[in-house]
Amino acid sequence: MINATGLRWILTALFVLPALHALWSTTRPGRTLPHRVGHLLHAVMGAAMAAMAWPWGMDLPTGPQIVLFSVGALWFAAAAFRPPGTESLRAGLFVAVPHVVMMLAMAWMVAVMDGSAMASGGSGGGHHDMAGMDMSGSGAVGMMSLTGVGQQWTAGLLAAVLAVLGLLWLAQAFDRGRVAVPSVGGTAALLREEAAEPACHAAMALGMAVMFVLLL
């Protein structure tokens, strides 16, 4: 999907490092089942986004990805409805909606690229012209771009929303990191760990925003 080697590696790092952190988070003691499933979904999404940055990533089966990320969106939406007394619905939605958006954005990206490939009868490898896609030359940053106006507007809107979410998560990570500096002992370590989670979400959201911009 990306021709520029440097950008390809940068985006790969933005997706792989958060994916590894998410995998590590699933093994930490004290995590509830919803937290473990959520981190696992983010790990899979990070790996899938990293694969999209490379030509071979276009050969991965798209149907299971669309189903998985659609189910992931439903999972995060359902997680907002916590048992009574644990958290207000508004607070639950505030936490869950960004993750729902990321999962749906991922499912949409996979679906629109797969739909374009199927419409032209080409392979999923991204080496053939696709209906609804403009296959750029080797000098372009992006290997392909959307040609449908509706798809371009959707990609632009998702890019903007993901960029805002990424900046909000980044600000949250900085806030938690600053609180950890004057702290001592285990409190500082805990705050740094809590800061790492929004930082990873920020990296993945900003990386996804760049990927959507490349489709314009």
Side-chain angles (χ1 to χ4, degrees), residues 43-62:
V44 175
M45 185 173 68
M49 289 300 300
M52 273 192 177
W54 299 86
W56 55 265
M58 300 297 295
D59 293 323
L60 297 177
T62 54

Side-chain angles (χ1 to χ4, degrees), residues 138-149:
S138 59
V141 176
M143 190 177 294
M144 62 186 66
S145 59
L146 296 168
T147 57
V149 176

Side-chain angles (χ1 to χ4, degrees), residues 56-215:
W56 55 265
M58 300 297 295
D59 293 323
L60 297 177
T62 54
Q65 294 185 69
I66 296 171
V67 172
L68 175 63
F69 298 124
S70 298
V71 171
L74 293 175
W75 171 268
F76 282 112
F81 298 90
R82 307 291 178 84
T86 58
E87 193 177 52
S88 68
L89 177 59
R90 178 179 297 180
L93 288 173
F94 182 79
V95 173
V97 167
H99 301 289
V100 173
V101 171
M102 290 182 72
M103 289 288 157
L104 290 178
M106 183 65 188
W108 183 85
M109 179 182 285
V110 175
V112 73
M113 296 179 71
D114 178 58
S116 299
M118 291 177 64
S120 65
S123 68
H127 301 296
H128 303 280
D129 290 339
M130 300 179 180
M133 304 289 287
D134 174 33
M135 307 302 290
S136 304
S138 59
V141 176
M143 190 177 294
M144 62 186 66
S145 59
L146 296 168
T147 57
V149 176
Q151 292 180 344
Q152 288 179 338
W153 275 98
T154 303
L157 177 61
L158 288 173
V161 171
L162 288 167
V164 171
L165 291 177
L167 292 176
L168 291 174
W169 267 319
L170 192 60
Q172 186 181 46
F174 280 129
D175 287 342
R176 293 182 180 180
R178 282 196 297 268
V179 173
V181 171
S183 302
V184 295
T187 303
L190 178 61
L191 288 171
R192 283 194 295 269
E193 290 177 5
E194 291 181 350
E197 186 169 321
C200 288
H201 292 328
M204 195 173 295
L206 293 174
M208 290 180 69
V210 172
M211 296 282 274
F212 276 108
V213 168
L214 293 177
L215 289 176

